[in-house]
Amino acid sequence: MAQRETAPIQSMTGFASREGEQDGIGWQMDVRSVNGRSLDVRIRLPAGLDRHEPEIRRMIGGAFRRGNIAMTLTLRRGEAPARYIVNQEQLAAYVDAIQSLAASGSVAAPRADGLLALKGVIEATGDEETLLSGAVVVEGVAGLIADLTTERQAEGGRIVPMILGQLEDMDRIRGYIDEHPERSVETIKARVDRQIAALLSGQSLSEERLHQEAALIATRADVREELDRLSAHIAAARELLAEGGPVGRRLDFLAQELNRETNTICAKSPHHAVTAMGLELKAVVEQMREQVQNLE
């Protein structure tokens, strides 16, 4: 049976740029990706090319699952002459207004060069859409997406070993806590006996109440369940990293659970050495979560 290929793990951060030229029109496409809870795509296109936005959005959505992604297309003319037209409607409005003022003697009669210099009279033809074809736009975006994917995968490849090292540190600290002398059955029993003796000092309790208090004290003194859950969460995080693909959300959830168990261990611990280990564990969990939040 063929082994399933593991999908690369991507970071949500990256940048890519491509440029080219068609019929004297130079173009440049840039795309930038940063962390985001979901996929948020923003696209800026020149006038006349905005009809390609739905297709570009579909292409980006098909390639990425999470991240704030901003894509920009800019055009520049090379040696090709710019094409202009006279906005006859705007020109007529100016002429009417100026002639009315001239008839009253307020201003001189308009001259052609003055009229053509007025805002909105001379316009670029806006025919970039005919000079930059849809095929060029789509091909450029496809290449841009491929470049961004490579960047995000490379960054993800740098983050994964860091997270694996942090999981290794968690496992090591967890082992120290589990093996600490304060965690021995004898030590816990002696601590419970002392607390029960203090509880009974000067008062009498029923046997049922005494058993309840002893069980409560013993439960508060032991972190066996928390250590077991830590071990399970660490194993689950390693499995997700081995699985590959968009695992950032699930790893973030596991980081929250690891933090929860660590807080409980620190709260329960009656010994300063175990508390110190718990705080060290908490610091590593926070470091892991910072890295996990970069992953898709």
Side-chain angles (χ1 to χ4, degrees), residues 2 74 107 118 128 160 183-184 247 260 281:
T74 56
V107 298
L118 293 173
E128 286 87 352
V160 169
R183 287 267 308 114
S184 68
V247 296
R260 191 194 315 278
L281 181 61

Side-chain angles (χ1 to χ4, degrees), residues 176-208:
Y176 289 160
I177 295 174
D178 198 16
E179 295 171 3
H180 194 275
E182 285 294 315
R183 287 267 308 114
S184 68
V185 175
E186 293 77 12
T187 302
I188 293 175
K189 183 178 182 302
R191 190 182 305 122
V192 172
D193 288 344
R194 289 195 301 271
Q195 291 177 293
I196 290 296
L199 189 65
L200 290 174
S201 178
Q203 60 178 310
S204 60
L205 294 175
S206 66
E207 184 175 349
E208 180 181 359

